[in-house]
Amino acid sequence: MKRNIVIATVTAAVLIGGGTATAIAVSGDDEAPTKKSDVRVSNDDTGRDDDADANDTDDNDADDKAEDKADAAEDRAAKDTGEDAEDKAENATDAKAAKVDAADAIKAALKNTAGTAVSADLDDEGTKHVWDVDILTNGGAWHSVQVDPATGKVVGSHVDRDDDGDDAAETAQIRDALKGSSVTAAEAAEAGAAKGTVTSVDLDEEGTDKAWEVDTTAANGTGSDWRVDAASGKITADRTND
């Protein structure tokens, strides 16, 4: 009995360089080839994918640099340039006292008194600091809630009296400013925290663009003024005094 011998040769050069290899199966000594097949290896060495990746990387780097440049410009514009050394030292002391940040102080105040927080200010009451949070209740009453910035506990609360008789007008103005706003005072404080230690958050009820005014302090005491859009939450430098 004859044994079938199959000889298939594919060279390494074909695999590496790309091309066509032919494999021939032979049966016996004088018989014709029984099968012929082409094995094609494609190797596109044009470098187009690498070029595209490099271009994508360059574009991303350019976008990042442009974004960083814009952020740096916002930071410069937000800085309070009228501060002296004494002001910065006081700011640094205030910021250091705020172990409980503005957002958490607002949340603590709202647990004590239900309503809408309209402002939160880190006040220096002589020997100690306190977060003073103003809340407008659904019934239209104004409450002032004090929160300890060291512990986050409510240490006082009282109803604000309408001594000058303009609470009704102010309340209507604030309610109008809050219409269509999806960003709360606590969320505005959280946005400002990315820029430094927040020392105050106030609703700008008189502005036309509906925003929260946020003050921050850097570690060296440099203060900055920001605006947080009440609808989108976008934070930008406060240029209202430019």
Side-chain angles (χ1 to χ4, degrees):
M1 179 184 293
K2 294 182 179 181
R3 292 186 302 173
N4 292 332
I5 302 174
V6 178
I7 302 174
T9 304
V10 179
T11 65
V14 171
L15 292 175
I16 296 173
T20 303
T22 301
I24 302 176
V26 180
S27 177
D29 295 333
D30 300 326
E31 294 179 7
T34 59
K35 185 178 180 182
K36 180 179 180 180
S37 65
D38 289 338
V39 179
R40 300 180 183 275
V41 180
S42 176
N43 184 12
D44 184 359
D45 196 20
T46 62
R48 292 177 183 174
D49 290 343
D50 292 340
D51 291 342
D53 290 343
N55 290 335
D56 289 344
T57 301
D58 291 342
D59 290 342
N60 291 336
D61 289 344
D63 291 342
D64 290 341
K65 289 179 181 178
E67 186 175 347
D68 290 342
K69 187 176 181 179
D71 289 342
E74 287 291 335
D75 291 345
R76 289 192 298 270
K79 286 182 179 179
D80 189 345
T81 57
E83 294 176 321
D84 56 20
E86 185 177 349
D87 291 332
K88 290 183 179 180
E90 185 177 347
N91 290 343
T93 300
D94 290 344
K96 191 175 181 180
K99 293 180 171 35
V100 174
D101 63 25
D104 286 339
I106 291 169
K107 293 172 185 176
L110 289 172
K111 285 182 179 179
N112 179 82
T113 304
T116 301
V118 177
S119 69
D121 294 283
L122 184 61
D123 294 333
D124 181 0
E125 296 187 347
T127 59
K128 63 179 182 179
H129 288 78
V130 66
W131 280 110
D132 193 356
V133 183
D134 287 335
I135 296 175
L136 176 61
T137 66
N138 294 333
W142 284 95
H143 285 253
S144 179
V145 181
Q146 289 75 46
V147 178
D148 188 336
T151 64
K153 294 181 179 180
V154 173
V155 294
S157 177
H158 64 271
V159 178
D160 287 336
R161 295 185 304 172
D162 186 9
D163 294 331
D164 51 14
D166 62 356
D167 271 12
E170 183 179 358
T171 298
Q173 189 176 28
I174 288 175
R175 288 198 186 282
D176 183 64
L178 289 170
K179 286 181 181 177
S181 301
S182 58
V183 177
T184 65
E187 290 169 339
E190 288 170 350
K195 301 295 185 179
T197 300
V198 176
T199 54
S200 75
V201 180
D202 291 280
L203 178 68
D204 181 13
E205 70 271 16
E206 297 179 354
T208 57
D209 57 347
K210 292 188 177 182
W212 294 94
E213 296 175 329
V214 180
D215 293 343
T216 64
T217 299
N220 64 358
T222 300
S224 297
D225 304 323
W226 305 92
R227 291 180 73 79
V228 177
D229 189 280
S232 67
K234 181 180 180 180
I235 185 169
T236 56
D238 189 348
R239 295 181 172 86
T240 56
N241 295 322
D242 291 353

